[in-house]
Amino acid sequence: DYTHIVLISEDLPAMFKAPLQQIASTRPWLRLVEVDDKGDFSALNPVLGDIVGDAKAYVFRIDDDDALSPQAFVDTVLANADRAPGTAMSLDEGFMIRPAWNSVSIRKETIPFVSAGLGVFTTGPRPLSIYALGNQNKFTKKGIPTIYAKGRLWLRSKTDTSDTPMSTWKRWRYFPSRPAEVERLLRDHFPGLETDAVIEAITDRT
């Protein structure tokens, strides 16, 4: 039972904002929230309060070019649902997909505090946003209780146009994965993704 909150800049031009508003207007599970460019996410608070009510929820983030393994992710959240409110969860293990020679490379990765699926267990009537906890790399220093979940739970993409650049990234550093391997991994872990569409999306963004 998901409600998707899409964060958009309050400065987003109307020509781009209007289509998003139109899409959201016919989908009750989709909300748009405008935020400023100073890292203030307080506009999320009333929206989360409306969605969560007095219930318990796992509020998490995911970027628009990443994916979560649907069943494994739900199982992981439910297995930890009795954790105290304010407990964060880091999905440490997943896959990284990158452009490689004439195709893509998909490999296992372990990245503590990766943004994909990073979230917090919380309750109403004033639920927390994951952004309210601040920089995830400082959770330990702040004493924020954190679960380090195992299992290949996410797929992250890395291209020349990624928001988080890799200064040492070189296409030639990665050997391509066999098409059958890519298809198997996506089918087993991310059944909603089509292999050809994923490969095209990764290779067309370089």
Side-chain angles (χ1 to χ4, degrees):
D1 184 12
Y2 296 98
T3 297
H4 300 255
I5 301 175
V6 178
L7 303 181
I8 61 175
S9 170
E10 61 185 10
D11 297 325
L12 186 69
M15 64 182 293
F16 300 116
K17 189 181 298 184
L20 294 175
Q21 292 171 330
Q22 178 60 35
I23 292 171
S25 69
T26 59
R27 293 164 174 81
W29 47 265
L30 178 61
R31 304 284 190 93
L32 298 182
V33 175
E34 296 185 25
V35 296
D36 63 27
D37 59 357
K38 299 180 177 64
D40 180 6
F41 295 96
S42 59
L44 267 173
N45 297 339
V47 178
L48 283 176
D50 181 49
I51 294 169
V52 175
D54 292 323
K56 187 171 186 178
Y58 180 67
V59 179
F60 65 96
R61 59 173 292 188
I62 185 167
D63 293 341
D64 57 4
D65 53 356
D66 299 333
L68 294 171
S69 181
Q71 191 58 55
F73 173 68
V74 169
D75 291 345
T76 300
V77 171
L78 293 179
N80 292 282
D82 60 346
R83 298 301 182 103
T87 301
M89 185 161 69
S90 168
L91 312 184
D92 289 357
E93 299 176 341
F95 298 95
M96 186 75 76
I97 187 167
R98 307 174 174 90
W101 285 112
N102 300 316
S103 186
V104 297
S105 167
I106 185 168
R107 295 289 183 266
K108 294 179 179 178
E109 296 277 359
T110 299
I111 308 175
F113 296 111
V114 68
S115 62
L118 180 73
V120 60
F121 290 94
T122 187
T123 57
R126 299 179 64 183
L128 282 175
S129 152
I130 182 59
Y131 298 104
L133 302 185
N135 187 326
Q136 64 261 38
N137 295 314
K138 297 181 180 179
F139 282 6
T140 302
K141 184 177 181 179
K142 292 179 178 179
I144 295 172
T146 303
I147 303 160
Y148 299 92
K150 303 301 180 183
R152 301 294 162 185
L153 296 169
W154 44 260
L155 177 68
R156 297 203 74 195
S157 61
K158 186 65 66 176
T159 70
D160 287 346
T161 59
S162 295
D163 290 339
T164 305
M166 295 174 64
S167 59
T168 59
W169 185 88
K170 297 291 182 183
R171 179 189 294 254
W172 52 262
R173 290 170 63 93
Y174 301 100
F175 291 104
S177 300
R178 292 175 298 171
E181 179 187 8
V182 177
E183 184 174 5
R184 178 184 62 80
L185 286 174
L186 294 181
R187 182 184 65 246
D188 291 350
H189 297 274
F190 310 95
L193 300 180
E194 297 181 2
T195 304
D196 291 344
V198 170
I199 292 175
E200 181 180 359
I202 296 299
T203 56
D204 280 356
R205 293 179 60 187
T206 59

